[in-house]
Amino acid sequence: MTDRTNFRPLGALRGALRPPADKSISHRAAMIAAMGEGETDIVGYLDAADTRSTLAAVQAVGARLVHEELATDAVGEGDGLGAPNLRIGGVGLRGARSAAIDVGNAGTLLRLLPGWLAGQPEGRWTLDGDESIRRRPVDRVADPLRRMGARLAAREDRLPPFEVEGAPLHGITYELPVASAQVKSCLLFAALLAEGETRVVEPLPTRDHSERMLAAAGAEVRREGDTVVVAPAQRLEPGRIVVPADFSSAAFFIVAATIVPGSDVLLHDVGLNPTRTGLLAILERMGAAAIEITPKGEEGGEPVGDIRVGHSELRGCEVGGADVPLAIDELPLVALAACFAEGTTTIRDAVELRRKESDRIAVVADALRALGGAVEATEDGMVIEGGDGLRGGAIDSHGDHRIAMLGAIAGAASSDGVEVRDMAAADVSYPGFEVDLHSLQHGPPLRDPVH
Ligand code: S3P
């Protein structure tokens, strides 16, 4: 039976925690470790359903799990990053063996892995996953991969199961029709095994974790304006990869503390890569004045720091264009914050939200309306009339982890509470979410408050 969980408004959120490890970076770490020569240590690999799918996938193609010590609380509160929790023995860039791969719910795995596999002429692979993954398009990676020489097949030519038959590849110049880090990363992986350089032109900047990690592993990757250029590689040597806490998971508490009066929340060791933190710029435009960032330097090529957040009165704002890829997974939270802001918020240029784990335009608009918000879905975004906050009610996560957690935060900020159907979906990226929310709802005040 599907679970139903109640999230009650218990007043201010207070306390400190380290959100779970970054999902995007963890996926890349496991795949790049599998491509590597010898053994790669990963420090702080995410223990969640999606990244377990990636671990299983790299093992299916021959990578060895030399050491595994995953636990959702493996890294203690605020004490920084510890010992490696994963050691992967790579198969090398050209050593993946044929396999049937279950990607589970992981869109990132579905889109990135074929890039590496497509250029290995000895192998054949099938990628398939759950009900939601079967609705996620793969033509966005199949089209450019075919131009590089790849041999691929998909259901109705655009949906999983996705079949890859290894073939010799050649470099191309490809202008991404949508600003997608998944498509870009897939092509960067394929470029490593192609003949000649590959150039990927981005319409807008998207997250650049793959570029950073490939460069750290010895690949020749450079940026020329809006273009990422990758040269073929003989070998990768990642050695050690450090995974910061996930900004997209921290985002739930950033928004919660901003909209619940009296809150004071400290989030430790969060990845602050500017291609991920667009939510901060949007909240600033909405008037959020109680967000303090303390940078703590770089770990493995990714900037990390602490984020302390208190409550602010918000006003509506316009969100679109370059905001969208920099805050793609946080736009549902922007819509939630907008319900608590004075005036109108308009989100545009975000049609990609319809192709995520659920149709996040339809699902978010319906959910927030069911809780008392004034939200209209548009073709490529939402219009939110804010001001009164949310009354509460019941919503369904539609099996989408970010919608489940959105409902929980809405409950903490509402007047009557929110019941979330299928809260278990949160395990895809944040298995300890309910425990962390509970600790903040029952936390003592932090010393030295923000204001
Ligand atoms: C991701 C990129 C984004 C994001 C997804 C993870 C990645 O997708 O929504 O959750 O790890 O590269 P697109 O780049 O396809 O928009």
Side-chain angles (χ1 to χ4, degrees), residues 84-402:
N85 59 351
L86 205 59
R87 178 169 295 165
I88 294 179
V91 294
L93 268 174
R94 291 163 182 81
R97 64 169 186 236
S98 300
I101 295 164
D102 179 3
V103 304
N105 189 249
T108 304
L109 176 59
L110 173 70
R111 271 65 170 267
L112 267 62
L113 192 66
W116 173 38
L117 303 176
Q120 301 184 61
E122 303 300 310
R124 288 180 94 101
W125 299 269
T126 307
L127 292 92
D128 200 1
D130 68 11
E131 210 188 301
S132 139
I133 217 74
R134 285 197 154 206
R135 294 191 296 265
R136 311 283 301 274
V138 291
D139 46 344
R140 51 184 52 205
V141 294
D143 291 346
L145 284 175
R146 281 196 183 111
R147 292 193 204 186
M148 296 178 79
R151 295 161 64 99
L152 309 159
R155 183 167 52 96
E156 294 166 25
D157 222 27
R158 63 190 182 90
L159 297 167
F162 193 28
E163 286 169 40
V164 181
E165 193 185 329
L169 303 185
H170 53 266
I172 57 166
T173 295
Y174 186 68
E175 289 191 27
L176 292 172
V178 284
S180 162
Q182 291 184 347
V183 179
K184 172 178 67 175
S185 300
C186 172
L187 301 181
L188 303 186
F189 285 2
L192 299 169
L193 293 179
E195 208 187 301
E197 273 185 356
T198 299
R199 307 171 72 87
V200 184
V201 187
E202 294 195 283
L204 290 169
T206 67
R207 65 188 69 186
D208 64 359
H209 306 304
S210 303
E211 292 91 307
R212 290 173 186 246
M213 205 181 288
L214 287 174
E220 230 186 285
V221 182
R222 62 178 196 277
R223 180 166 276 280
E224 292 175 6
D226 58 1
T227 305
V228 188
V229 187
V230 185
Q234 282 314 310
R235 52 195 283 127
L236 293 183
E237 289 182 33
R240 186 169 183 270
I241 301 172
V242 177
V243 186
D246 197 323
F247 182 85
S248 297
S249 297
F252 292 96
F253 300 125
I254 294 174
V255 167
T258 300
I259 60 179
V260 178
S263 295
D264 182 12
V265 167
L266 178 57
L267 302 162
H268 287 294
D269 303 328
V270 181
L272 294 174
N273 182 321
T275 59
R276 289 290 296 283
T277 55
L279 172 70
L280 296 178
I282 295 169
L283 287 175
E284 198 178 312
R285 294 209 299 274
M286 295 178 84
I291 303 182
E292 266 178 26
I293 309 283
T294 309
K296 287 165 112 175
E298 285 210 355
E299 282 279 11
E302 293 280 347
V304 175
D306 292 347
I307 305 177
R308 189 161 181 173
V309 190
H311 171 257
S312 286
E313 297 295 339
L314 299 180
R315 55 180 178 270
C317 82
E318 302 277 320
V319 176
D323 291 328
V324 170
L326 305 182
I328 186 73
D329 294 334
E330 289 67 65
L331 293 176
L333 283 166
V334 171
L336 171 64
C339 294
F340 291 80
E342 206 51 59
T344 309
T345 297
T346 307
I347 302 174
R348 290 193 184 86
D349 307 322
V351 71
E352 277 296 297
L353 284 182
R354 294 198 181 272
R355 317 219 164 86
K356 298 297 176 188
E357 286 84 331
S358 65
D359 174 344
R360 287 188 180 154
I361 292 180
V363 167
V364 170
D366 285 352
L368 293 176
R369 249 198 328 266
L371 305 181
V375 183
E376 287 302 325
T378 62
E379 201 162 309
D380 68 345
M382 281 171 260
V383 180
I384 306 107
E385 296 295 339
D388 295 335
L390 295 174
R391 184 186 60 237
I395 67 151
D396 192 318
S397 73
H398 293 266
D400 182 335
H401 55 129
R402 298 202 197 281

